[in-house]
Amino acid sequence: MATNLSKSKKRKHTLEELKTLGQQLLSSRAHINNLPLLLTFVSPSSPPQFLLESLLTLQSFFSPLLPHLPPSFPSSTKRTEVSGKDDPEFIYKTWLRSKFDELVQSLLLVFVSPQSEDAYVFLREVVLDTLMEFVKLGNGGKFHSAIYHKLLHSIVHSTQSVDSVTDLLASKYFKYIDVRYFTYISMEKLARSLEGKGISDDKTGSADENSESHSRASIELSLRKSYHILSKIPSMEDNNEKSDCEMWSGSGSSSEEGNLKEASKKSKTKVKMPKAEKSNNNALSAAIISKKMKSKFTKAWITFLRLPLPVDIYKEVLVTLHRAVIPFLSNPIMLCDFLTRSYDIGGVVSVMALSSLFILMTQHGLEYPNFYEKLYALLVPSIFMAKHRAKFFELLDSCLRSPLLPAYLAAAFAKKLSRLSILVPPSGALVIIALIHNLLRRHPSINCLLHREDGNETHNNDSKAEKEIVDSATVANISSIKPGIDHFDNEESNPVKSNAMRSSLWEIDTLRHHYCPPVSRFVLSLENDLTVRAKTTEINIKDFSSGSYATIFGEEVNKYYHILC
């Protein structure tokens, strides 16, 4: 039989002959030997017409047989039992299962193949529909998670970039709640396998450098594809309000409703469920599914975030984490290691991590002692030209809003911002004035920074907390410094040791003579008595956080245009 099969493989078949072979296979078991031949045409190298014809025939052949086939991977105990069985029907079905497994493997190869012709784009969609049909029918009407896991595994571990394949899967099947559920389960498993692969690669230090770099590139590509899949899954927020959860592998109805439907078929009478009871069952079902989904969602994301992500993916995750991940985690505190590690990196990564970290601190009780020290270190001139500066300034204002903030800490931020105001573009000076305005209004004890004639009077105004931190030697040295010298240490990374309370905001006074009219006009708002809250209001940082030369110039042009008109 093997010799005949090899000869038939070498022989070229026409499309009409292939159709005849398929019709024979579907018509009678006597033509079962056509099955291996048709399987050879399910390959990325086959012409599209031949591949499609074989695929449609094999799908029609296997679909009604799937519920009756034995499992693909029996345990070792069952293997001995199977080898001893001489039931021809059982042997036949076992052989069919092996051929079905070959078909699934071939379909996966076709699905992730790099061909980009229009015919293969259409074929790829047909292949996906066939695989998902097997997922639906291959486990006795239940979701066949093993086949679906193989599908995701082939996408993640393919050697080519297959974002279009992921987009196709997401657009057609991620609307089903069971597909999303098993996607999270598979993505957790795949992330764990990538984590173990990365560890094993690190241990093989004597490996060839080329193979090691190739392995790292392969892992990085798999990480990108993993993130692409996770980011394409619809948010759970979009499905919480739906009473009916659409299932791919079943109707999604409760067992009670299924029993009633079965009873109605037997009695040939319509059995109606009371509306109140039906709605309660639907609500309970949705709640249970939502709870399980949240658990799988959490495990998938937490496992993925433990991996060594590429820099661009790392930044993209941080940008969307606070709105796409944190609200749906079963325990958001599980993200603290990832976020604190990101926040400690510094630079733009810290800016991106700030939003999510702030949510954990304010809404979930995360304690991070060095938070304000790290935040203080982010105040450098380059931050005023960063891509995400608008969000950063809004969060900075929120972080400094608490009335429990010590005076010396509020003074350090005010002074640091004041020093930056003479180093940054006009748009940066505007947002600094707004931030200092809000700081002075919220913390009246630091208003002494606006007017200071010498440094000797400042010791009476120092907070008790700062006196405990600064040692006696430092105080003695500062006392000996002559008036007129700024005691603020701009190079000090620790805001507590910056001596901000012994300084003044003299830089703000220089902004009164700024070359940019909006800056020189806006700084006059600080001349008001900000300690009287009834007569003043806070400034919305959002109005200034995304400013630039272009926006300032446009506003000035419009202003003078209206005057002239």
Side-chain angles (χ1 to χ4, degrees):
M1 181 176 176
T3 305
N4 294 333
L5 184 59
S6 62
K7 288 181 179 180
S8 62
K9 282 183 181 179
K10 293 180 181 179
R11 179 187 163 210
K12 292 185 178 180
H13 293 269
T14 64
L15 189 60
E16 289 300 322
E17 289 176 340
L18 201 63
K19 289 181 180 180
T20 302
L21 291 173
Q23 292 171 359
Q24 291 174 350
L25 176 64
L26 295 175
S27 62
S28 172
R29 186 186 287 192
H31 300 283
I32 192 62
N33 286 334
N34 292 354
L35 175 59
L37 178 59
L38 290 169
L39 277 172
T40 62
F41 288 94
V42 184
S43 168
S45 60
S46 297
Q49 301 90 337
F50 287 71
L51 197 160
L52 180 61
E53 184 63 34
S54 300
L55 173 58
L56 295 177
T57 299
L58 293 171
Q59 181 183 7
S60 301
F61 176 77
F62 276 112
S63 292
L65 295 176
L66 279 180
H68 310 291
L69 296 182
S72 299
F73 302 103
S75 62
S76 57
T77 56
K78 289 185 178 180
R79 284 181 185 272
T80 57
E81 296 175 5
V82 170
S83 60
K85 285 202 173 189
D86 53 359
D87 181 11
E89 187 66 20
F90 185 82
I91 295 174
Y92 171 70
K93 289 182 178 179
T94 303
W95 179 78
L96 286 179
R97 168 57 78 174
S98 67
K99 295 305 172 186
F100 173 75
D101 293 339
E102 290 181 21
L103 172 62
V104 170
Q105 194 61 35
S106 299
L107 289 175
L108 293 175
L109 291 175
V110 173
F111 187 58
V112 297
S113 61
Q115 283 91 342
S116 58
E117 294 85 353
D118 293 339
Y120 272 95
V121 172
F122 169 73
L123 267 176
R124 193 171 284 122
E125 186 171 354
V126 175
V127 169
L128 176 62
D129 292 340
T130 303
L131 286 168
M132 292 305 293
E133 192 67 21
F134 291 158
V135 169
K136 184 188 228 179
L137 302 174
N139 194 21
K142 299 178 183 179
F143 196 96
H144 200 302
S145 58
I147 296 178
Y148 187 65
H149 180 75
K150 290 179 181 178
L151 173 61
L152 293 180
H153 184 277
S154 65
I155 294 175
V156 170
H157 290 281
S158 62
T159 57
Q160 304 291 331
S161 179
V162 287
D163 288 350
S164 59
V165 168
T166 304
D167 295 338
L168 180 63
L169 175 64
S171 62
K172 296 197 71 173
Y173 295 101
F174 279 2
K175 63 182 177 180
Y176 300 106
I177 190 169
D178 52 348
V179 174
R180 296 197 300 273
Y181 179 81
F182 284 101
T183 300
Y184 286 131
I185 293 176
S186 292
M187 293 312 298
E188 181 197 358
K189 293 178 181 177
L190 291 171
R192 291 189 184 280
S193 67
L194 288 173
E195 186 178 16
K197 190 175 181 181
I199 294 173
S200 63
D201 288 344
D202 292 340
K203 289 182 179 179
T204 57
S206 59
D208 183 60
E209 291 183 1
N210 292 331
S211 62
E212 185 177 351
S213 61
H214 177 75
S215 177
R216 289 181 180 177
S218 175
I219 293 175
E220 182 174 319
L221 183 60
S222 296
L223 290 171
R224 294 180 186 279
K225 286 183 265 192
S226 297
Y227 175 70
H228 192 64
I229 293 174
L230 286 172
S231 63
K232 287 293 180 179
I233 303 176
S235 168
M236 287 190 289
E237 186 179 17
D238 300 335
N239 303 284
N240 285 340
E241 302 298 329
K242 294 181 180 180
S243 58
D244 294 328
C245 297
E246 193 175 4
M247 305 277 284
W248 171 245
S249 59
S251 61
S253 58
S254 62
S255 58
E256 290 82 359
E257 290 177 286
N259 292 337
L260 286 173
K261 289 179 181 179
E262 188 65 27
S264 65
K265 288 180 181 178
K266 290 181 180 180
S267 61
K268 296 183 179 181
T269 58
K270 294 183 178 180
V271 180
K272 294 185 177 181
M273 178 179 289
K275 292 184 178 180
E277 185 179 351
K278 185 175 181 179
S279 63
N280 289 337
N281 284 336
N282 286 339
L284 180 62
S285 176
I288 293 174
I289 291 174
S290 176
K291 185 177 180 181
K292 289 184 176 181
M293 184 74 77
K294 181 172 285 192
S295 172
K296 301 305 178 186
F297 174 92
T298 301
K299 290 180 180 179
W301 271 104
I302 296 299
T303 307
F304 173 74
L305 293 177
R306 292 196 189 107
L307 299 173
L309 305 179
V311 176
D312 57 333
I313 298 297
Y314 199 100
K315 292 179 179 179
E316 193 172 343
V317 167
L318 288 173
V319 169
T320 59
L321 201 64
H322 66 283
R323 65 175 183 272
V325 178
I326 290 180
F328 311 110
L329 293 175
S330 57
N331 183 13
I333 294 297
M334 296 174 70
L335 275 177
C336 66
D337 290 340
F338 173 76
L339 289 174
T340 53
R341 185 172 66 250
S342 304
Y343 194 58
D344 290 341
I345 292 175
V348 68
V349 175
S350 293
V351 174
M352 293 176 173
L354 179 60
S355 180
S356 298
L357 192 60
F358 182 70
I359 290 175
L360 292 190
M361 291 177 62
T362 56
Q363 299 180 16
H364 301 283
L366 175 66
E367 294 184 3
Y368 187 35
N370 297 328
F371 176 79
Y372 283 101
E373 184 177 342
K374 297 291 184 182
L375 184 62
Y376 184 81
L378 293 176
L379 296 178
V380 291
S382 60
I383 198 67
F384 291 84
M385 292 171 282
K387 181 179 179 180
H388 304 282
R389 63 183 183 276
K391 186 64 177 177
F392 170 75
F393 291 133
E394 293 168 26
L395 287 169
L396 175 63
D397 185 60
S398 299
C399 294
L400 301 175
R401 180 174 287 123
S402 173
L404 301 178
L405 197 69
Y408 65 87
L409 205 53
F413 277 92
K415 179 60 182 178
K416 186 72 172 181
L417 290 168
S418 178
R419 181 63 58 89
L420 288 170
S421 66
I422 59 177
L423 303 173
V424 298
S427 58
L430 289 173
V431 73
I432 284 176
I433 295 171
L435 287 166
I436 291 178
H437 177 281
N438 289 346
L439 273 171
L440 294 172
R441 186 177 181 276
R442 295 166 187 163
H443 307 281
S445 58
I446 69 170
N447 273 263
C448 59
L449 299 178
L450 286 177
H451 178 72
R452 174 156 294 158
E453 295 182 356
D454 56 55
N456 296 328
E457 61 177 310
T458 61
H459 299 297
N460 296 327
N461 296 327
D462 290 344
S463 66
K464 183 178 180 182
E466 188 179 11
K467 286 182 179 180
E468 294 175 356
I469 296 173
V470 181
D471 57 14
S472 58
T474 305
V475 174
N477 291 336
I478 292 174
S479 301
S480 63
I481 297 177
K482 294 180 180 181
I485 296 178
D486 193 350
H487 308 318
F488 175 69
D489 186 357
N490 191 48
E491 302 301 323
E492 176 58 56
S493 60
N494 190 343
V496 176
K497 301 178 181 179
S498 64
N499 298 325
M501 284 295 288
R502 300 181 177 91
S503 181
S504 66
L505 304 182
W506 59 264
E507 299 91 347
I508 295 299
D509 187 61
T510 65
L511 297 183
R512 295 169 59 190
H513 309 287
H514 200 280
Y515 71 89
C516 184
V519 176
S520 59
R521 289 196 302 264
F522 189 40
V523 76
L524 297 178
S525 63
L526 298 181
E527 294 182 358
N528 301 324
D529 188 0
L530 299 177
T531 59
V532 184
R533 295 195 176 188
K535 296 182 180 180
T536 58
T537 57
E538 283 197 1
I539 296 176
N540 188 2
I541 301 299
K542 193 174 183 179
D543 297 338
F544 301 91
S545 58
S546 57
S548 63
Y549 276 112
T551 59
I552 293 176
F553 181 76
E555 290 174 1
E556 288 297 297
V557 169
N558 291 333
K559 178 182 177 181
Y560 287 106
Y561 174 78
H562 290 300
I563 292 175
L564 294 175
C565 293

